[in-house]
Amino acid sequence: MTIRKLLLLLVLAVWLPAVLGFALLTHYTYRQQVLGKQHDLERLGQALASSVERELDRRLVVATTLGGSPALQTGDLAAFHREATLIARQTGGWIAVADGPDLVLNTLVPYTAGYRRARSAQSPPLRQQPEVFFTPTEGETGLPTVVALAPDLYFSPARYNVAANFKPAAIQELLNAATFPPSGNAAVIDRQQVIVARSRDPQKWIGQRAGEQVRRLAAAGRPTVVETTTLDGVPSLTYVSAPNRYGWNVVIAMPRATLAATAQTLTQQAILASAALLGIGLVFALLIARRVARPMTALRRAAQQLGRQQLPKRVVSGVLEFDAVGSALLDAGERAQQAHATLQRQVAEAVRQTEAAHRELMESQKMEAIGRLTGGIAHDFNNLLQTIIVGLQVLQRDPANHRHERTVSASQRAVTKAAELVRQMLSFGRQQAPSPQAVSVLALVNQSLQLITRAVGAQVRFRTHVPADVPAVHADPTQLELAILNLVFNARDAVQQGGHIVLTARAASDSETATLPPGRFVCITVSDDGAGMDAATGLRAFEPYFTTKAVGAGSGLGLAQVRSFAQQAGGDVRLQSSPGVGTTVELYLPVAPRAADAAPGTTTATPSGAAPTGKSSPPPLSLVPTGLRIAMVEDDALVSSVVVPALQHKGHHVTLFETADAARQALQTVTGDFDVLFSDVVVPGSMSGLDLVKWAAVHRPELARAIATGYTPEAIPQNVVVLSKPYDIDQAELLLVNTVRQQAARG
C-alpha cells in the first residue's frame, strides 16, 4: 500500500467521525425543530380554542340575557320581538323562541299575533340548562347554524327556550384570522365531532363528521399531538385540544411534508459541510504525499542497490525519519558486505553440524536397536541362568558332591555375576518399564561400585561418600543406576589424567527444594574438577543430542536421560559449572514414603512391579512350612526341570502348566486344590502371566498370587508380588510362603 493511500485512509479516518457527528447534530436539530413545531401547534391550538370558547360564551350570554327579558316573562311577545330584533342586528344572527314543540317567535320574520310553527326535527327538546350546539339544518335559512340555547329564568320548569342563532361563518372568521404553518389546516368540531368550521375547503367539510382517529382523540378528553391523516388524505402532525365547556375541540394539522422539507434542508447542509471537510482533507493529503514521494523514491533506489549487494547512497531529504532510514540502509550495506564472507563460513559449519547430527541420529538408532536386541534375549538368558543356579543349589546340597563344593560355589558366583551383567545391559538398553519403589542409595552405589571403578579407570581418582542414614528414595532402581552412571561417565570424560570425581548423597534442605513439590528429598551429587562449561553451554547441557565432546565420543543423551528420569520421579536436576574449575550436578529425588522399612544395602522383592536389585538371605529351614500346593506356570522346560523337583524336594506339591490358558482352565474347574499361583510373565497362549494373575484376583480371590520374570516390557501393577530371575530356590520358597501368609491374613 502506497503512502498516498495511507494518507487518504488517514483523511477518511478523520472525516468519517466528523460525518457521524454532523449526522447526529442534524438528527438532534431535526428533533428539536419537531418538538418546536409541536409546541407551536399546542400554543396555536390553545389560543384558537380560547377564541372559540369566548365566541360561544358571547352568544350564550345573548340568549341567557334575552331569556330573562320582562317582556318574555309577561308574555308580551311583540315587545320581546322588537327587543330581540334590535339585539340580533347588533350581534349578528337571529333570535328564536320555542314554546315546547312549537316555534312562537323568530326575528327573521315580522311578528304576527298567533304566530306558531312546529319546530324542525333537528331542534332539541326543551332545555333546563344553557347550551350551545351546532345543527346543519336549523333556522329559517336552511343553512348550518350554531345555536346558543337558554331557558327563561323565571318559570320552573322553563316554559320558553331562547335560541341565539348564528352562522358558522362567525367561527370560520376566527380560523381565517389565525396564522397557521405553511399548508397547515385547522378545524373546530362540536360535541358530536361534527365539523363546525375548517380553514381548508369549509364548504366541503362543514357539517361532516371528523375522521375516526380525531374523534377517538377528542373523546379522550386531553390535549394530544399525534401523527394522523386528514380528511384530505394528507399525512400530518395533528394537535387535538381538550374539549371546552361546551364539549367543542380545536384540531390543527401540519403536513409531514413540511417537516420532511426541514429535514431535507438540514441534511443538505450536513452533506455540504462534510463534502467541504473531505475536500480540504484530500487537498492536504495530496500535498503531503507529493512532499513524501521524492524521498521515498530515493529510499527505494537505495534498497534496490542494497539488494544487489551494492553500497547505497546516503538519502538527504530534510525529513528526519527518511534520513534515518537512509542512514540505516547505508549501515546495512556495509554490514552486509562484512556478513557475506561470514555467511559462507557459517554455511560450511552448518553442513558439518548437519552431518554430525546425522551421525548422532544413526548412533541413537543403533543404541535403540541394541536396547531392543538386549531386551529380546534377556528373557531366554535369564531362564538359562535360572536353570543353572537352581541346579547348582541342588548339587551343593547333595552330600556326595562335597568334594566339588569349591567348584559349585565358583559356578554360583559366576551365575550371579552373569545375572548382574544382564541387569546392567537392560539398564543401558532402557528396556525395563519404570517401576518406582523404595531404593537404598547406599546399596545401589555399593553394588554398582565395581562397574563404575572399572569404567572410570585408574588414571582418575574416584571416591564416594554416602552415609548409612541417608533415606531411601522413591524411584525406579534401574533408571536411578543408569542416571548415576551417566553422571559419572560425563565427569570421567571431562577430567584429565589425575583428576578427581566425587559422588555424595545427603538429605536436601527445605530451601533447596522450595520450588519442588511438598515433601522430603535426597540430593545425589557428582562433582569433578575438569574443564567445566561456560554459561551458554550450561544452558544447553540437558538438550537431547547436544554434546561438547568430539565427534563419535558422545551421543548427547546422557544428561537428557538424567533430567527425564528426575522429572518423572517427581524431582529435579541442577548443574553448576565454570570453565577451568569443574562441574557439579545435583540430582534431587523424593524420599520413599516407607523409607524406614528399606534396610540399607538391600531392596527386597515387594509388590512394586520391579525386579529386586539385591539378594535376600534365606530363612532358617525350620521356619519354612512345607506342603504348599503350588500351581506353577512355566513354559521353559529347562527352568521347570530344576525348579519343580527342587520345590518338591522341600516338601511342596507342584502342578506344572506350560500355558496360562491351561492354568486358567484348571483353576476354573478345580476349587481348593491350590494355595498359591506362581507364574512366569512371558508365556505362550492368549494370556500372559500378568493376565492370569489379574484373572485370578477376580475369580479366585482366596488364592495367593506371585510372578517371576527375567524380563518384561510391561508395566507391572503395584499390588503384584514379583520375583526376579534368576533366583535361588530358598528365595522363591520364602516369597511363596510369605505370599500365602499375607493372603490368609487378609481373609
Side-chain angles (χ1 to χ4, degrees):
M1 183 176 291
T2 63
I3 291 181
R4 180 174 298 180
K5 291 182 179 179
L6 289 175
L7 291 174
L8 292 178
L9 289 177
L10 178 61
V11 170
L12 292 176
V14 175
W15 177 72
L16 287 177
V19 170
L20 180 60
F22 282 135
L24 293 176
L25 179 61
T26 301
H27 177 73
Y28 174 77
T29 304
Y30 172 72
R31 292 299 305 167
Q32 291 298 111
Q33 291 202 6
V34 169
L35 292 176
K37 296 294 185 183
Q38 291 180 355
H39 293 158
D40 292 343
L41 289 178
E42 291 175 358
R43 288 193 296 270
L44 181 59
Q46 291 170 0
L48 186 58
S50 298
S51 299
V52 171
E53 187 172 17
R54 286 195 298 271
E55 181 64 24
L56 297 181
D57 286 342
R58 190 165 68 90
R59 302 296 179 173
L60 185 60
V61 167
V62 171
T64 303
T65 302
L66 290 176
S69 172
L72 183 63
Q73 304 306 322
T74 59
D76 188 356
L77 295 179
F80 181 79
H81 185 275
R82 291 190 296 271
E83 180 183 356
T85 299
L86 179 61
I87 295 176
R89 290 173 182 171
Q90 295 174 352
T91 61
W94 65 97
I95 306 299
V97 177
D99 179 9
D102 298 328
L103 185 65
V104 296
L105 184 146
N106 191 340
T107 60
L108 291 176
V109 298
Y111 174 73
T112 304
Y115 173 86
R116 183 175 291 272
R117 293 184 182 180
R119 292 188 301 156
S120 63
Q122 289 79 10
S123 300
L126 192 66
R127 305 298 176 91
Q128 300 296 326
Q129 297 294 334
E131 184 179 0
V132 179
F133 58 91
F134 171 77
T135 177
T137 59
E138 183 66 25
E140 296 292 335
T141 63
L143 297 173
T145 306
V146 180
V147 181
L149 186 66
D152 63 71
L153 301 179
Y154 294 95
F155 291 93
S156 182
R159 177 180 177 183
Y160 297 108
N161 279 140
V162 179
N165 300 277
F166 62 97
K167 295 180 181 180
I171 306 299
Q172 188 69 36
E173 291 176 358
L174 296 177
L175 296 183
N176 296 338
T179 302
F180 301 109
S183 303
N185 181 36
V188 178
I189 59 176
D190 69 352
R191 186 188 302 273
Q192 283 74 35
Q193 288 86 40
V194 176
I195 298 174
V196 179
R198 196 171 189 269
S199 62
R200 183 187 301 162
D201 297 332
Q203 296 83 2
K204 180 179 179 180
W205 299 110
I206 291 178
Q208 302 293 327
R209 297 202 70 188
E212 180 181 356
Q213 189 174 5
V214 172
R215 295 200 306 268
R216 187 168 60 253
L217 295 173
R222 59 178 181 273
T224 309
V225 178
V226 295
E227 293 186 8
T228 65
T229 301
T230 65
L231 295 174
D232 310 274
V234 179
S236 303
L237 184 66
T238 303
Y239 167 75
V240 180
S241 71
N244 60 19
R245 290 198 302 272
Y246 308 104
W248 290 28
N249 301 82
V250 172
V251 181
I252 302 178
M254 175 189 297
R256 293 291 303 174
T258 303
L259 296 176
T262 302
Q264 185 177 4
T265 301
L266 293 174
T267 303
Q268 291 174 350
Q269 293 174 351
I271 292 174
L272 290 175
S274 301
L277 180 62
L278 178 60
I280 295 172
L282 292 176
V283 169
F284 276 105
L286 293 175
L287 292 176
I288 295 174
R290 185 173 301 175
R291 177 72 175 84
V292 171
R294 294 190 186 93
M296 284 300 300
T297 302
L299 288 177
R300 182 169 60 252
R301 286 197 299 266
Q304 292 171 350
Q305 291 174 342
L306 183 62
R308 294 191 295 267
Q309 298 183 356
Q310 299 174 356
L311 279 179
K313 296 180 179 180
R314 186 179 298 275
V315 176
V316 180
S317 64
V319 180
L320 295 179
E321 289 79 2
F322 290 154
D323 293 346
V325 173
S327 298
L329 289 176
L330 179 60
D331 295 340
E334 294 173 349
R335 290 195 299 271
Q337 290 185 343
Q338 297 173 0
H340 182 68
T342 304
L343 179 60
Q344 292 180 338
R345 293 192 300 271
Q346 290 177 343
V347 169
E349 180 65 23
V351 171
R352 288 193 296 271
Q353 291 179 356
T354 302
E355 293 175 350
H358 179 70
R359 288 193 296 271
E360 291 174 358
L361 177 61
M362 296 299 294
E363 181 69 18
S364 66
Q365 291 176 342
K366 181 180 68 175
M367 293 301 297
E368 181 180 359
I370 293 174
R372 291 181 179 179
L373 178 62
T374 302
I377 67 174
H379 177 265
D380 294 337
F381 195 70
N382 276 327
N383 281 340
L384 295 175
L385 293 177
Q386 180 66 64
T387 303
I388 296 172
I389 196 170
V390 175
L392 291 174
Q393 280 188 287
V394 173
L395 290 176
Q396 189 180 35
R397 292 176 182 178
D398 188 349
N401 296 322
H402 282 324
R403 64 181 182 277
H404 303 297
E405 182 175 0
R406 293 181 59 187
T407 303
V408 172
S409 297
S411 299
Q412 285 181 323
R413 289 193 298 272
V415 170
T416 302
K417 196 70 174 179
E420 179 69 16
L421 179 61
V422 171
R423 186 181 64 79
Q424 292 177 355
M425 289 172 60
L426 287 175
S427 297
F428 284 111
R430 304 178 189 178
Q431 290 296 309
Q432 291 177 310
S435 300
Q437 63 184 42
V439 180
S440 170
V441 180
L442 177 60
L444 189 67
V445 171
N446 287 338
Q447 82 179 27
S448 305
L449 191 58
Q450 184 177 2
L451 174 63
I452 295 174
T453 303
R454 185 165 56 249
V456 168
Q459 293 82 9
V460 178
R461 299 179 182 179
F462 174 76
R463 61 186 179 89
T464 64
H465 178 66
V466 182
D469 59 351
V470 173
V473 297
H474 185 66
D476 182 283
T478 300
Q479 293 200 14
L480 174 57
E481 182 178 24
L482 180 59
I484 293 175
L485 291 174
N486 279 328
L487 294 178
V488 173
F489 293 163
N490 278 350
R492 177 203 61 191
D493 295 339
V495 300
Q496 302 293 331
Q497 241 181 347
H500 297 78
I501 300 175
V502 179
L503 188 154
T504 63
R506 58 180 174 80
S509 64
D510 293 340
S511 60
E512 292 178 279
T513 60
T515 58
L516 298 179
R520 298 167 56 206
F521 287 83
V522 169
C523 177
I524 301 174
T525 303
V526 176
S527 302
D528 65 72
D529 56 1
M533 294 178 284
D534 56 24
T537 304
L539 290 175
R540 301 188 58 192
F542 292 104
E543 293 182 9
Y545 303 108
F546 176 79
T547 179
T548 58
K549 301 174 185 177
V551 176
S555 64
L557 297 174
L559 289 179
Q561 181 273 336
V562 174
R563 182 176 65 175
S564 176
F565 159 68
Q567 293 176 347
Q568 184 181 24
D572 193 13
V573 61
R574 300 167 187 173
L575 181 144
Q576 298 176 1
S577 184
S578 298
V581 177
T583 302
T584 298
V585 181
E586 296 175 329
L587 177 63
Y588 292 89
L589 297 174
V591 173
R594 300 179 62 185
D597 296 340
T602 62
T603 53
T604 60
T606 60
S608 62
T613 58
K615 177 181 175 182
S616 300
S617 300
L621 295 181
S622 61
L623 299 180
V624 178
T626 60
L628 289 181
R629 295 168 298 176
I630 304 171
M632 182 175 179
V633 182
E634 176 59 65
D635 64 307
D636 192 297
L638 292 177
V639 174
S640 60
S641 66
V642 294
V643 174
V644 172
L647 290 174
Q648 290 174 341
H649 181 72
K650 286 178 170 290
H652 304 292
H653 304 282
V654 182
T655 302
L656 179 65
F657 301 96
E658 294 184 354
T659 66
D661 297 324
R664 181 180 66 176
Q665 184 176 2
L667 293 175
Q668 284 177 325
T669 57
V670 178
T671 303
D673 287 353
F674 299 105
D675 299 312
V676 60
L677 171 63
F678 183 42
S679 174
D680 191 11
V681 174
V682 181
V683 292
S686 61
M687 301 178 67
S688 68
L690 281 177
D691 295 334
L692 178 62
V693 169
K694 294 175 183 178
W695 176 89
V698 177
H699 298 87
R700 293 293 300 273
E702 80 286 353
L703 188 65
R705 299 168 296 278
I707 62 173
T709 180
Y711 159 74
T712 176
E714 296 185 62
I716 301 177
Q718 294 290 329
N719 59 348
V720 176
V721 178
V722 182
L723 184 63
S724 179
K725 291 181 179 179
Y727 53 81
D728 62 43
I729 200 65
D730 293 332
Q731 185 181 10
E733 182 185 30
L734 175 62
L735 175 74
L736 296 176
V737 170
N738 288 338
T739 304
V740 171
R741 286 174 177 172
Q742 292 172 1
Q743 184 67 22
R746 287 193 292 266

